[in-house]
Amino acid sequence: MKIAGLDIGTTGCKLTVFGEDGAELGKAYRDYPVRRMVGAQEMDISVMMESVYAVIREMADKVPDIGGIGVTSFGEVFVMTDEAGEPLHNAMLYTDPRGDKECAELTEKLGASNIAEITGLAPHAMYSISKMMWIKRHWPEVYAAARRIHLIEDFVVWHLTGTAQIDYSLATRTMAFDIRKLEWSREIFDAAGIDVSLMSRTVPTGTSAGTVTPDAAGRTGLDSRCIIVSAAHDQVAAAVGAGVFDGRTAVDGAGTVECLEPVYDSLPDIRIMSRGKYAVVPCAVPGKYVAYAFSYTGGALIQWCMETFGKGETNQSMEDAYGKDEPTGLLVLPHFAGAATPYMDSGSKGALIGLTLATTPAEIYRACMEGVVYEMRLNYENLAGSGIHFNKLNATGGGARSRVWMQMKADVLDLPVTALKTVDAGTVGSAMLAGIRTGLFADLEDAAKTMVQEVETYYPRPEMHEKYMEIYERYRKLYEAVRPLV
């Protein structure tokens, strides 16, 4: 029997299949368009679903004995459907500006601190509930016709199994889920004027939704006995795929977005977390929570640097061209797509400080790496009073392949960093959760022994840590210095 992880992203979805020994047997990917216009950013959920069917069909034809699929997806985005599950509108992306007024109204009615205490989230219009309110106000005919409201994971699970359930971690991204009671918050739904009965049933992360329906089996080529699992929000699935299950280790998600994910062995102080705009989310282990500290531009900033300054070069050649193992002394504010935690300031802009006529593209490349890592350090320090006690990082994503970047993170954070083999931790984590439900693994620890593979551990060097900290003290002042100018 084989297991698979289905990871549904904003612009594409992928299915990766694994053998019983954890070996990757193949993957399929399909992309789909999103529409980014002034005043609206949307995606067509029907097109996304066809892409999901296509990647499953491709791999089912190649590997016919897939016994379980874990489904993970990005958060916030939802769609209202009719009784047959057909979308009634294009789905608004989390970056869509609609819902700002509604979020302010909901916050005024309930209080920001009360919302944070219930949901683990500082109020923000990117979360689902504000946009649901917008639809009810501006598209009343859509809301009146709605029979279900799905986020992406539970939309896909419903179409594959006929079961309407959503896992706790993804439910959190609505800003209407009670992270203590582990159920929808009727107080928030009532204040928002949204019928909570339209929502899917909330279930623990990694819950089986049952087997595929005959219709789904026909569309995908899956065996009718294949089990579909509501895995997790993609960041929680990545933590599972990185083998991070308790507070001793945190995740370094070194992908397009740079994400630091510590695990808390009990609920952290929400007041402290709210000050840094950190989301607190139930994780895969009951009673534990994960927080999201992130920068919108991790690998995305490195890609921009390569496209702008490294034409004809490779990432490795740019690293080699710098030729020194020491900080550049340049300061890069990595807010090229706005600032994420601890600011959550969409108006912030990127900056390169300290350039001269002698500055080379390789120095700028290295400085961009440093800027991302300094931002991680800033978040690490902001989380210090919240109860974190991790003493190492497990790194996933494409950035984990860069020995220079991994060593830099170890030096700046003064922590060991272990690079993992997997780039797509979300699909690995989803497959692990599917493997537990199909009986392939006994539990998460058992699954990790097979599925989580370490490549190399980078240890901090005291002398380099001291050098980086001298520059970091200047970096800490960079946002406050630049923000008033842009």
Side-chain angles (χ1 to χ4, degrees):
M1 181 183 69
K2 310 303 186 296
I3 53 174
L6 173 63
D7 188 351
I8 305 159
T10 308
T11 59
C13 61
K14 56 179 170 284
L15 183 82
T16 307
V17 181
F18 302 89
E20 295 182 10
D21 60 354
E24 182 180 309
L25 302 179
K27 65 177 65 175
Y29 175 82
R30 295 290 188 282
D31 57 16
Y32 31 79
V34 296
R35 300 173 66 238
R36 301 185 189 273
M37 306 162 288
V38 175
Q41 298 187 27
E42 302 175 341
M43 65 184 300
D44 186 333
I45 299 298
S46 297
V47 173
M48 179 214 74
M49 194 64 215
E50 289 304 316
S51 297
V52 167
Y53 286 136
V55 294
I56 298 176
R57 166 65 74 174
E58 180 178 335
M59 292 312 302
D61 288 345
K62 295 177 180 177
V63 186
D65 58 339
I66 299 174
I69 299 176
V71 181
T72 183
S73 77
F74 64 107
E76 298 89 42
V77 175
F78 69 92
V79 66
M80 298 183 181
T81 75
D82 61 18
E83 189 64 45
E86 292 300 318
L88 298 172
H89 60 96
N90 281 340
M92 290 180 276
L93 300 180
Y94 71 95
T95 49
D96 191 293
R98 289 171 288 185
D100 284 358
K101 180 180 178 182
E102 288 73 16
C103 183
E105 291 173 357
L106 189 62
T107 304
E108 176 70 22
K109 188 179 293 186
L110 295 177
S113 61
N114 184 36
I115 290 174
E117 284 292 336
I118 294 170
T119 67
L121 307 173
H124 196 285
M126 71 177 175
Y127 299 118
S128 317
I129 193 70
S130 302
K131 294 179 179 3
M132 294 178 195
M133 294 168 65
W134 188 95
I135 287 179
K136 184 178 181 181
R137 173 174 291 171
H138 295 276
W139 297 342
E141 70 286 354
V142 170
Y143 182 78
R147 296 297 174 265
R148 293 186 182 86
I149 300 177
H150 290 292
L151 274 70
I152 301 303
E153 170 203 283
D154 59 307
F155 179 83
V156 171
V157 168
W158 188 88
H159 277 273
L160 292 176
T161 67
T163 300
Q165 66 178 40
I166 182 171
D167 92 281
Y168 295 158
S169 67
L170 188 62
T172 302
R173 306 308 289 172
T174 61
M175 203 179 80
F177 180 78
D178 191 319
I179 61 170
R180 289 178 173 82
K181 297 179 180 178
L182 299 178
E183 61 186 30
W184 294 121
S185 170
R186 292 190 176 274
E187 179 182 359
I188 292 177
F189 274 96
D190 288 347
I194 301 298
D195 183 358
V196 70
S197 69
L198 297 173
M199 306 301 294
S200 297
R201 177 173 61 98
T202 60
V203 297
T205 294
T207 296
S208 169
T211 55
V212 294
T213 64
D215 178 68
R219 285 173 174 264
T220 61
L222 292 171
D223 187 283
S224 61
R225 293 167 293 181
C226 181
I227 294 172
I228 304 299
V229 174
S230 298
H233 180 225
D234 55 11
Q235 295 296 343
V236 171
V240 172
V244 174
F245 311 131
D246 60 41
R248 294 172 298 176
T249 308
V251 182
D252 168 29
T256 302
V257 171
E258 180 73 32
C259 192
L260 175 67
E261 295 179 53
V263 172
Y264 293 81
D265 296 323
S266 60
L267 186 66
D269 189 327
I270 298 299
R271 292 170 298 176
I272 293 175
M273 304 303 285
S274 294
R275 286 200 292 267
K277 312 296 191 299
Y278 299 112
V280 179
V281 182
C283 73
V285 180
K288 298 183 188 294
Y289 295 82
V290 64
Y292 301 157
F294 64 101
S295 171
Y296 291 124
T297 49
L301 179 58
I302 306 307
Q303 181 180 357
W304 169 85
C305 187
M306 286 297 297
E307 292 172 351
T308 306
F309 301 107
K311 292 178 170 53
E313 300 287 341
T314 64
N315 293 76
Q316 185 64 57
S317 66
M318 287 286 273
E319 291 179 7
D320 294 342
Y322 181 62
K324 294 174 285 187
D325 188 13
E326 60 182 43
T328 63
L330 302 176
L331 295 177
V332 174
L333 187 67
H335 297 174
F336 285 53
T341 58
Y343 309 110
M344 294 308 291
D345 179 3
S346 60
S348 185
K349 302 291 191 296
L352 285 78
I353 306 296
L355 300 177
T356 72
L357 292 175
T359 301
T360 66
E363 284 181 272
I364 295 173
Y365 180 88
R366 173 92 175 205
C368 286
M369 281 186 168
E370 292 171 351
V372 173
V373 181
Y374 290 146
E375 194 82 342
M376 285 183 69
R377 175 79 196 191
L378 186 74
N379 278 284
Y380 177 48
E381 291 182 353
N382 270 273
L383 287 165
S386 67
I388 56 171
H389 59 270
F390 60 87
N391 52 31
K392 66 169 290 194
L393 293 175
N394 281 1
T396 69
R401 294 172 175 167
S402 169
R403 295 173 61 88
V404 169
W405 213 4
M406 292 297 99
Q407 185 62 59
M408 185 187 297
K409 289 178 179 181
D411 291 335
V412 172
L413 294 171
D414 201 24
L415 292 168
V417 179
T418 297
L420 303 181
K421 182 178 180 180
T422 179
V423 172
D424 301 324
T427 55
V428 173
S430 300
M432 288 166 64
L433 292 166
I436 293 170
R437 294 302 161 219
T438 59
L440 184 59
F441 306 123
D443 52 29
L444 287 172
E445 296 288 348
D446 184 39
K449 292 175 184 176
T450 300
M451 302 288 290
V452 180
Q453 302 175 45
E454 298 184 356
V455 175
E456 185 174 359
T457 297
Y458 301 84
Y459 294 94
R461 299 169 295 178
E463 71 283 2
M464 291 301 295
H465 176 69
E466 184 176 343
K467 290 181 180 180
Y468 279 119
M469 287 303 96
E470 289 179 6
I471 298 167
Y472 173 71
E473 287 306 311
R474 292 190 285 123
Y475 178 85
R476 291 178 61 188
K477 305 170 186 175
L478 190 57
Y479 171 77
E480 296 296 340
V482 171
R483 186 64 181 96
L485 304 177
V486 296

